[in-house]
Amino acid sequence: LPAGSLLGVGSATRRKLAWYGIHTIGDIARAGEEFMRNKLGKNGWYLYIYASGGDISRVGSFGEHASVKSVGHGTTLVEDVSDEEIVYSVMLELAMDVGYRMGKLGVRARGVELTIRDSSLAFFSFQCRLEFPSACPSILAKAGRILLQEKYAWAYPVRAVTIRGIDLVDSWVPGVQLDL
């Protein structure tokens, strides 16, 4: 089958694989684990495992739903942005949706992941732990802003932003003992 039939191979990955002469799922398996990891990172390793038949993920029953592992929302900006305040305002909007959805699911995040795509189309992903589990949009966005300030180098303007609540716990689980 064509490489694009494999889960995780979108149009950009398909083009990159074609550059290396890899056009089928069998080509991915023959390329080897080291080659795939070197050229595509962690995603390349997964593609090699899938193409080689080495995926050991549990097969679920019909109708079974996986527990939610993260809740996120992202957007591509109308124009490339170099102003941190504008990026933060976008993060705050996204965090409102994330917080609302987490509330509906009855979960809180113990961490935040910020993903930035710059105008060169490179992706950067940063994570941090929260002091206590939260679904509060302002807390999620503030953590995202700190990640942006501390981790993003601003080599290129920002094209897309995603904010995600990670390491979820049920809302009823006590998060931290508060000080009186």
Side-chain angles (χ1 to χ4, degrees):
L1 291 173
S5 298
L6 192 61
L7 180 66
V9 179
S11 59
T13 302
R14 191 174 56 246
R15 284 191 302 272
K16 191 177 278 191
L17 290 171
W19 172 259
Y20 296 113
I22 298 172
H23 303 283
T24 67
I25 294 173
D27 291 340
I28 293 172
R30 284 186 292 281
E33 180 177 356
E34 187 175 332
F35 177 86
M36 292 299 293
R37 185 184 287 274
N38 287 341
K39 300 303 179 192
L40 298 172
K42 186 177 182 181
N43 186 47
W45 179 78
Y46 280 117
L47 294 178
Y48 169 76
I49 294 298
Y50 297 154
S52 302
D55 184 13
I56 58 169
S57 302
R58 188 176 83 70
V59 177
S61 303
F62 179 76
E64 180 180 355
H65 297 286
S67 61
V68 177
K69 303 213 190 256
S70 68
V71 177
H73 190 53
T75 189
T76 300
L77 306 175
V78 181
E79 60 186 5
D80 296 343
V81 174
S82 295
D83 184 344
E84 179 190 317
E85 285 299 317
I86 295 173
V87 175
Y88 174 67
S89 67
V90 171
M91 276 193 279
L92 191 53
E93 282 288 321
L94 297 171
M96 284 192 234
D97 178 63
V98 171
Y100 172 77
R101 289 175 32 221
M102 287 173 60
K104 286 190 69 120
L105 291 168
V107 295
R108 293 180 293 174
R110 290 191 283 198
V112 170
E113 178 181 82
L114 174 67
T115 303
I116 299 291
R117 186 174 200 177
D118 69 19
S119 60
S120 75
L121 304 182
F123 278 98
F124 302 90
S125 187
F126 314 109
Q127 294 182 359
C128 70
R129 304 260 323 145
L130 295 175
E131 186 177 351
F132 55 87
S134 180
C136 176
S138 62
I139 290 173
L140 300 174
K142 183 179 177 188
R145 183 179 207 163
I146 291 168
L147 287 169
L148 182 71
Q149 291 170 335
E150 293 179 356
K151 307 281 187 180
Y152 186 61
W154 290 98
Y156 293 95
V158 172
R159 163 131 340 145
V161 180
T162 299
I163 193 157
R164 183 179 315 282
I166 59 172
D167 194 13
L168 304 182
V169 294
D170 289 324
S171 292
W172 56 267
V173 173
V176 65
Q177 178 64 47
L178 298 177
D179 185 328
L180 293 177

